[in-house]
Amino acid sequence: MSPVSRRRKRARSNRSGQRVVRRATPVEAVQCDCPACSDADFDPQSFIDDLVAGAADLVKTDDPIEAELFAATFLAAGDLAGEDFTEALDDGMLPAFAEVGTPEALAVLLAVDAVRTGTIAGAAAQRLIDEGVAAPGWADELRQPVRVGPCRRLADPAGDGSMLVCSFERAGRSYGFVVHVDHLDCDAAADIVLFPADAMDQVVTTIRQNADRVGLTIAEEVLDPDEFRWQVERALDARADHDRELDPSEFDDDLDDEAGASYHMLAVLLRARVRTLPEPTRPPAEHAAGGRPPTLDLLDMISQIAGQAQQIQNRGRRAVGARKLPSKRKKSAPPAPIYQIKVGLRGAKPPIWRRLELPADTSLADLHDIIQVAFGWYDSHLHVFNTPYGDFGIADRKLGHRAEAPVTLEQVAPEVGDRLRYTYDFGDDWEHEITVEKVLDRQPVGYPRCTGGRRAAPPEDCGGVWGYAELVEVLGDPDHPEHGDRLEWLGLASAAEFQPARFDAAEITQALTGRGHR
């Protein structure tokens, strides 16, 4: 019998002390037609085992929203894969989790049931609990009713865009959502931000301040819960329709784009929350066709709101308390392994990213330098690393930033799959998602090095991802009234010199080789 089979058929004790053996579920039923499952190297059993292993932290957390976000990430990826995922979920994946029969598997089932109704997850979880599998401490909270706070719509009177803002409370824990709705794009959701509900007033103030800064007047309207649900579902449904229209190459880009993944994860969670609201009194909205590009002022405002609301969310998480930072590698220990990391620029369409290899014990100060070189930034603005262990950058008590130089990458991201965020320039808010993809053996090559990536990074001070998108559009249109001004600002003689699709890993590696160390 293979090690996998032994693991799947292991015995467990139920409440009466009897040993029970669960039948192995045919793991072939786990597969659907998504790109991951269609990969020739896809191993269904490893997929289930990896998800269960990734749920280890869920058993320890005290806030069920962490579990809900875990499940939402998994379900969002499946939703993008297509209709076959739902069948694979009920017929293969959820029964496979139940067969594993550990507290971690139970946590996955409870989390899935919390954010997706109509699956067998709830019944499967209850069977495990009845058989004596220990439920996580947050399981009881999931059974508590969800209560809604004030629902508001803050809109540009011109009809270009709006923000739907609301909070939800359950068992004393409250979180708020901001949904950015682009009325010039079929009323589709452009972005979603999650934040601690006690920062609600600050979020609304931020929206108004940013509107004032770009000369927009904001009208505020209080919505009944059923109307709020209708407007949110209209926005999410329109965005979902657009996502279904992606061709295969765009589909792969969307899965690789950390900002897109964050949107879809939060969309799953938000759908679960609004389903607790009263049914809307009017029928579902039809998906309107057409639309025109949003104005730069509106996009700038949305980008700034999202970035500043994210900072509010990060401060809220710090108030709850960061994890204790793991000990640093001892000098007497063997050399650190090599991390393969992916650094993606959040919100960039098409995606802009770099794949880097570097020693795991690289300091965050050196990692800052490496990212600057890899993306062609000039290190002329402030920056911060947001991690589960706190925020690190140039030490600043007021901002809550601790010194980055003494802290290493492997301390804040000790395992494959761990993520942290690097934000550069708090005005333009260039947010980079850093993911540890692999741990590699050292090779007789120089480190750090760049082994992959896509597209050139934006120029500094161009207004964030939305400003960059407009810059690309302007430079691609010789008849645009700002074409000449933008060329002059960039110091270019012609638009042919502007090459946003250019990427050269060897050139970046050479630049990394020539950089100094702190």
Side-chain angles (χ1 to χ4, degrees):
M1 182 180 292
S2 70
V4 167
S5 298
R6 286 196 298 270
R7 189 163 59 244
R8 293 297 304 281
K9 290 178 177 286
R10 66 179 175 272
R12 297 185 292 107
S13 297
N14 63 12
R15 288 175 177 169
S16 64
Q18 296 174 323
R19 303 286 286 176
V20 293
V21 179
R22 307 201 63 86
R23 293 179 304 170
T25 296
V27 293
E28 291 79 6
V30 170
Q31 292 180 260
C32 61
D33 292 331
C34 73
C37 292
S38 301
D39 192 323
D41 295 329
F42 176 72
D43 179 0
Q45 183 60 63
S46 296
F47 173 76
I48 294 296
D49 289 343
D50 288 346
L51 274 175
V52 172
D57 286 343
L58 302 186
V59 177
K60 304 172 187 175
T61 187
D62 65 342
D63 190 343
I65 199 166
E66 299 296 335
E68 292 176 292
L69 289 172
F70 177 92
T73 302
F74 159 56
L75 294 171
D79 289 343
L80 287 173
E83 295 179 358
D84 287 342
F85 173 74
T86 300
E87 182 178 350
L89 185 67
D90 270 342
D91 292 349
M93 297 180 193
L94 297 180
F97 289 133
E99 296 298 336
V100 173
T102 62
E104 292 79 9
L106 174 57
V108 173
L109 291 170
L110 289 169
V112 170
D113 184 55
V115 296
R116 178 65 54 84
T117 58
T119 72
I120 67 167
Q126 190 57 52
R127 283 197 298 272
L128 292 184
I129 293 172
D130 291 342
E131 291 173 358
V133 179
W138 43 262
D140 288 340
E141 288 192 32
L142 293 179
R143 301 187 183 98
Q144 301 301 311
V146 175
R147 296 180 174 84
V148 64
C151 302
R152 289 180 267 190
R153 179 176 182 267
L154 296 98
D156 169 17
D160 291 349
S162 65
M163 270 65 69
L164 300 172
V165 186
C166 192
S167 64
F168 297 86
E169 180 270 334
R170 180 183 59 203
R173 303 182 195 271
S174 299
Y175 288 92
F177 291 86
V178 175
V179 184
H180 306 149
V181 182
D182 184 355
H183 298 299
L184 305 181
D185 188 25
C186 311
D187 301 316
D191 198 7
I192 303 173
V193 175
L194 174 70
F195 59 92
D198 58 9
M200 176 66 75
D201 290 343
Q202 189 173 355
V203 168
V204 174
T205 298
T206 299
I207 292 174
R208 292 192 172 283
Q209 289 175 343
N210 281 288
D212 291 342
R213 189 173 295 120
V214 296
L216 291 177
T217 301
I218 291 294
E220 182 173 342
E221 176 185 7
V222 177
L223 301 178
D224 291 333
D226 64 309
E227 176 63 17
F228 180 82
R229 175 176 176 173
W230 186 90
Q231 296 208 19
V232 168
E233 290 181 336
R234 176 184 65 171
L236 298 181
D237 290 345
R239 173 66 179 266
D241 284 347
H242 293 175
D243 291 337
R244 280 190 287 269
E245 295 168 0
L246 296 174
D247 63 33
S249 62
E250 292 174 312
F251 178 80
D252 291 339
D253 289 345
D254 198 62
L255 289 177
D256 283 340
D257 181 10
E258 286 83 359
S262 176
Y263 166 83
H264 291 98
M265 170 188 70
L266 292 177
V268 171
L269 180 62
L270 180 56
R271 282 190 187 275
R273 289 292 187 270
V274 298
R275 279 197 299 268
T276 67
L277 302 181
E279 288 280 352
T281 56
R282 50 176 169 161
E286 294 184 2
H287 185 178
R292 65 188 190 280
T295 64
L296 178 60
D297 283 347
L298 176 65
L299 292 175
D300 275 345
M301 182 179 70
I302 289 175
S303 178
Q304 292 170 13
I305 292 167
Q308 293 183 31
Q310 184 65 54
Q311 294 296 321
I312 292 170
Q313 180 181 358
N314 291 335
R315 287 198 295 272
R317 285 175 173 169
R318 285 198 301 272
V320 174
R323 303 178 194 170
K324 181 180 179 181
L325 187 67
S327 299
K328 200 170 184 177
R329 179 180 293 270
K330 295 182 179 180
K331 292 183 179 179
S332 58
I338 300 301
Y339 269 9
Q340 175 182 298
I341 65 173
K342 181 178 179 181
V343 186
L345 188 60
R346 287 173 54 85
K349 294 284 186 176
I352 299 171
W353 56 272
R354 306 287 182 262
R355 180 165 284 122
L356 305 169
E357 293 180 2
L358 69 172
D361 61 351
T362 297
S363 72
L364 293 186
D366 273 344
L367 179 58
H368 159 69
D369 290 340
I370 291 168
I371 295 174
Q372 290 285 309
V373 172
F375 281 82
W377 304 123
Y378 294 114
D379 199 7
S380 56
H381 300 281
L382 293 174
H383 69 276
V384 65
F385 290 94
N386 302 122
T387 83
Y389 305 92
D391 297 344
F392 300 90
I394 305 300
D396 189 312
R397 184 181 297 275
K398 184 178 180 180
L399 293 177
H401 298 173
R402 296 153 63 187
E404 63 188 9
V407 181
T408 64
L409 176 57
E410 65 181 343
Q411 284 181 277
V412 296
E415 298 178 0
V416 171
D418 284 347
R419 294 188 176 197
L420 56 148
R421 185 167 298 174
Y422 168 79
T423 302
Y424 172 62
D425 184 353
F426 299 160
D428 280 0
D429 257 342
W430 300 111
E431 292 187 340
H432 308 68
E433 195 84 16
I434 304 170
T435 304
V436 179
E437 294 186 315
K438 295 180 181 178
V439 178
L440 307 171
D441 294 330
R442 284 179 177 261
Q443 302 295 325
V445 297
Y447 296 106
R449 64 175 182 166
C450 179
T451 61
R454 187 173 181 190
R455 301 183 70 85
E460 293 211 27
D461 302 320
C462 68
V465 291
W466 297 108
Y468 180 57
E470 198 230 12
L471 176 65
V472 172
E473 180 182 348
V474 169
L475 293 182
D477 180 7
D479 297 326
H480 195 285
E482 296 184 18
H483 186 84
D485 291 341
R486 296 301 180 95
L487 285 176
E488 182 179 356
W489 179 72
L490 289 170
L492 302 179
S494 74
E497 298 177 43
F498 181 68
Q499 300 178 342
R502 186 177 183 277
F503 169 76
D504 189 328
E507 184 178 287
I508 293 174
T509 295
Q510 184 176 6
L512 289 171
T513 302
R515 60 177 276 279
H517 290 272
R518 294 195 182 195

